[in-house]
Amino acid sequence: MITLNTERGLLRIESWDDIESVPGYSANIDPKTVKLKEIIGSYTFDALIPCGLSTCHQPHGNGFLVAAADGRVTNIGRICGKTHFSVEFTQMSRVYLAAVRVQQSREFLGELKNRLPAIAAEVSAIRSGQYGAGWINTRINQLSGKSASLPMPIVNAVRQAVRRGDGSLTIERAATKQERENRAAAADVKGLEHMRRNVAFAIEDRVGQLEGFTALAPGNGLREVLGVIEPFLAALSEADIHSLPDKQLRELSKVGGELDANLERLRILIVAGRRLLVRQNIQQLARFATSRAEEKLFDQFLRELPQEGF
């Protein structure tokens, strides 16, 4: 692949034959008789291309296309460039690579801007649609205790499930007589002498499993993901890409480079939130209510949830 930096933007050429047909191209230039004017392109090939300097001709896979002050054009590798043209070549290569990066960023943002209507429509539907991000976020805040609308025993059960990392719901109870005897018997095993007979202890029983529990995990907030995506979409919509200052161009390109990953993360979190917020799934938390008043409050929450999955 050959990349030429032209006044009209980056030009990409697949064939080396097209370079050899460029007016002024020479594959045999004496570096002692020329003065570099500028670097006009770069190339990367699996097949090795001979250096265009008469003193070298060493085949290489990566190099630059350079224009001489006398109008001739040839190709050289980085080593020959530094060897024969020293600081001048180093400065030119930096200028060229910086210009290419700027052009690539403008092209990339231009492509994203063409996709903007479709992306904006999808994000809007995700945010505001039925059972969308707004609806999900409100109920996740209730379940996680960020808004004081559900009984604390239920909120604590949800928090414990999240801390375990597997969404399992558990209750703690006193050990039965048989369980105490079994533990006492284990004390006779070498290494378990610290277990003492007839000492009360608690057992943790698994009583449920929350589907879609990842929607509750720290760092998976829909508000945070949308808070990255939506400002970028607004900035890109307003930006004149061809006249953006370099700093703003770099910043937009950096966030833009993460856009597809953030969109996919948003879709995954929406799916998880909808799996979580199904009445049959959340009904498992009812057992943690400790009073009739807590049961009634939880019932109100349940009535807002769809009975079946999406």
Side-chain angles (χ1 to χ4, degrees), residues 147-284:
S147 61
S149 57
L150 284 177
M152 281 310 299
I154 290 174
V155 170
N156 288 335
V158 171
R159 289 174 174 173
Q160 288 174 3
V162 172
R163 281 196 293 269
R164 287 188 191 91
D166 61 2
S168 61
L169 299 171
T170 63
I171 59 172
E172 195 174 87
R173 60 171 177 81
T176 65
K177 179 181 178 182
Q178 184 62 53
E179 288 166 337
R180 292 197 302 272
E181 290 176 352
N182 290 344
R183 180 167 176 172
D188 296 331
V189 178
K190 186 176 181 180
L192 299 179
E193 297 85 353
H194 61 285
M195 294 183 176
R196 302 177 63 183
R197 295 177 181 273
N198 299 321
V199 175
F201 63 95
I203 295 292
E204 198 173 69
D205 287 334
R206 181 170 175 166
V207 296
Q209 173 68 47
L210 287 177
E211 296 295 324
F213 75 94
T214 53
L216 293 159
N220 281 351
L222 288 166
R223 184 186 298 274
E224 288 76 8
V225 181
L226 285 168
V228 174
I229 294 173
E230 291 179 326
F232 169 76
L233 297 182
L236 182 61
S237 176
E238 297 172 1
D240 181 353
I241 294 172
H242 298 293
S243 62
L244 278 178
D246 286 356
K247 181 180 179 182
Q248 192 174 353
L249 187 67
R250 287 194 302 271
E251 292 171 350
L252 271 183
S253 296
K254 181 178 183 299
V255 181
E258 300 166 352
L259 177 61
D260 285 324
N262 283 327
L263 287 171
E264 184 60 22
R265 185 180 173 209
L266 179 62
R267 297 180 191 114
I268 290 171
L269 290 178
I270 289 292
V271 170
R274 289 173 175 172
R275 286 180 62 204
L276 173 72
L277 296 168
V278 174
R279 192 175 302 175
Q280 184 178 0
N281 189 39
I282 297 300
Q283 179 69 49
Q284 300 175 88

Side-chain angles (χ1 to χ4, degrees), residues 14-82:
E14 297 289 342
S15 171
W16 185 256
D17 292 340
D18 292 329
I19 295 300
E20 293 182 336
S21 63
V22 169
Y25 177 79
S26 172
N28 194 47
I29 287 181
D30 184 349
K32 297 178 181 178
T33 64
V34 296
K35 177 177 177 59
L36 288 190
K37 179 183 178 183
E38 62 180 332
I39 294 176
I40 61 172
S42 57
Y43 54 89
T44 299
F45 284 102
D46 291 332
L48 301 182
I49 306 298
C51 176
L53 297 183
S54 60
T55 55
C56 179
H57 293 318
Q58 176 69 36
H60 55 257
N62 302 286
F64 293 92
L65 297 170
V66 297
D70 61 9
R72 287 184 294 172
V73 174
T74 194
N75 62 292
I76 60 176
R78 187 180 297 274
I79 294 176
C80 276
K82 290 181 177 180

Side-chain angles (χ1 to χ4, degrees), residues 131-144:
Y131 305 126
W135 182 86
I136 291 171
N137 194 62
T138 296
R139 282 146 190 84
I140 284 180
N141 284 343
Q142 291 173 294
L143 286 170
S144 60

